[in-house]
């Protein structure tokens, strides 16, 4: 057993070189990075983090400092799984997602950092993995990019050697989305994977129309076409369009 003796949070606001826009969240002028450093009575220290698209960081930090920190002090820092469950129920009345999930994730990562140092193992081995590599793709918040600028950013991804790229969709006119997807596919060729992300900005009807239009460009997945809680809507989009649908990121 090793008791948690201190917990320190920090909130950083990271300005972006340019304003970034997607179809639903509006403008991003900066990102927020919130870190949590936990120390045990045996001297082990772990740091976890969470981040936002520029809003909510102060609320997440307040939950950590005023609700989670007093609850965690003197608990066994090695009991990650039980601490996670206890925090879920401790915050359940006001939580079940949102700010609570962001706050708990920072704690969870800090404790896994400690476990990794204690065992001298990387996370992928502690999680039971048999490999230490995975496929990766590049993507940005690029809905407001002009077509030439979008293609320039995609060229940068390809020059880094990636085998998959993702772009934002959700323009006011679907024809513009189709044109952008078409030009990106033309640029990257048939073998590089291509994904699109609408940031849940469409109705089910609009998403079905878009998915059917994107199909000819061999889309690996169509991400969050509609509201994340609309499970039946997602099923209808998938069944009607026969395009793979990705969802769940914003269920927290």
């Amino acid at each position: 057993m090793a008791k948690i003796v201190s917990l320190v949070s920090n909130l950083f606001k990271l300005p972006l070189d340019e304003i970034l826009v997607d179809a639903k969240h509006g403008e991003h002028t900066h990102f927020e990075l919130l870190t949590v450093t936990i120390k045990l009575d045996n001297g082990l220290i772990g740091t976890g983090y969470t981040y936002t698209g520029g809003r909510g960081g102060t609320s997440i930090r307040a939950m950590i400092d005023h609700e989670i920190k007093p609850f965690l002090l003197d608990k066994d820092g090695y009991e990650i799984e039980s601490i996670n469950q206890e925090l879920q129920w401790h915050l359940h009345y006001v939580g079940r997602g949102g700010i609570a999930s962001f706050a708990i994730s920072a704690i969870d990562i800090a404790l896994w950092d400690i476990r990794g140092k204690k065992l001298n193992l990387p996370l992928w081995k502690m999680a039971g993995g048999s490999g230490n590599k995975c496929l990766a793709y590049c993507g940005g918040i690029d809905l407001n990019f002009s077509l030439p600028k979008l293609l320039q950013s995609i060229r940068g991804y390809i020059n880094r050697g990636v085998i998959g790229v993702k772009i934002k969709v959700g323009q006011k006119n679907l024809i513009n989305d189709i044109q952008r997807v078409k030009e990106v596919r033309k640029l990257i060729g048939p073998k590089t994977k291509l994904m699109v992300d609408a940031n849940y900005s469409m109705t089910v009807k609009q998403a079905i129309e878009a998915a059917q239009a994107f199909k000819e460009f061999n889309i690996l997945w169509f991400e969050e076409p509609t509201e994340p809680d609309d499970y039946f809507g997602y099923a209808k989009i998938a069944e009607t369009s026969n395009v793979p649908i990705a969802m769940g990121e914003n269920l927290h």
Side-chain angles (χ1 to χ4, degrees), residues 111-183:
L111 294 177
W112 276 99
D113 189 26
I114 287 174
R115 180 178 286 183
K117 291 173 179 176
K118 176 177 180 287
L119 300 177
N120 195 30
L121 289 174
L123 182 62
W124 66 273
K125 281 192 175 181
M126 291 190 292
S130 59
N132 62 356
K133 296 180 180 179
C134 68
L135 297 176
Y137 69 88
C138 283
I141 305 175
D142 51 30
L143 189 69
N144 63 322
F145 286 9
S146 65
L147 181 56
K149 184 174 181 177
L150 174 65
L151 296 178
Q152 180 183 3
S153 71
I154 298 298
R155 288 190 191 96
Y157 299 154
I158 298 301
N159 290 339
R160 291 167 58 184
V162 300
I163 59 172
V165 298
K166 187 176 78 175
I167 68 170
K168 298 292 188 182
V169 294
Q171 300 282 343
K172 292 181 179 180
N173 192 324
L174 177 58
I175 293 175
N176 293 331
D177 278 333
I178 296 171
Q179 180 66 21
R180 290 160 74 88
V181 173
K182 178 181 179 180
E183 292 299 324

Side-chain angles (χ1 to χ4, degrees), residues 22-55:
D22 66 36
K24 202 66 177 178
H25 298 105
E27 295 184 346
H28 300 269
T29 60
H30 65 282
F31 287 159
E32 295 177 314
L33 173 67
L34 192 148
T35 64
V36 175
T37 299
I38 294 175
K39 183 177 181 179
L40 307 186
D41 62 3
N42 62 6
L44 281 177
I45 296 174
T47 298
Y49 74 96
T50 190
Y51 78 98
T52 81
R55 308 176 191 99

Side-chain angles (χ1 to χ4, degrees), residues 178-193:
I178 296 171
Q179 180 66 21
R180 290 160 74 88
V181 173
K182 178 181 179 180
E183 292 299 324
V184 170
R185 171 53 76 194
K186 181 180 177 181
L187 173 65
I188 66 177
K191 293 185 178 180
T192 300
K193 305 299 183 184

Side-chain angles (χ1 to χ4, degrees), residues 22-112:
D22 66 36
K24 202 66 177 178
H25 298 105
E27 295 184 346
H28 300 269
T29 60
H30 65 282
F31 287 159
E32 295 177 314
L33 173 67
L34 192 148
T35 64
V36 175
T37 299
I38 294 175
K39 183 177 181 179
L40 307 186
D41 62 3
N42 62 6
L44 281 177
I45 296 174
T47 298
Y49 74 96
T50 190
Y51 78 98
T52 81
R55 308 176 191 99
T58 302
S59 299
I60 298 168
R61 188 181 187 187
M63 178 168 277
I64 289 172
D65 288 347
H66 299 292
E67 304 293 342
I68 292 179
K69 180 178 178 178
F71 182 76
L72 283 187
L73 292 177
D74 291 331
K75 289 190 178 296
D76 187 350
Y78 292 157
E79 297 297 324
I80 303 175
E81 293 81 3
S82 62
I83 285 177
N84 185 284
Q85 287 300 306
E86 288 175 17
L87 284 175
Q88 298 288 346
W89 286 109
H90 181 65
L91 302 171
H92 179 270
Y93 196 78
V94 296
R96 292 187 62 80
I99 290 170
S101 290
F102 282 83
I104 291 171
S105 71
I107 303 300
D108 206 53
I109 294 171
L111 294 177
W112 276 99

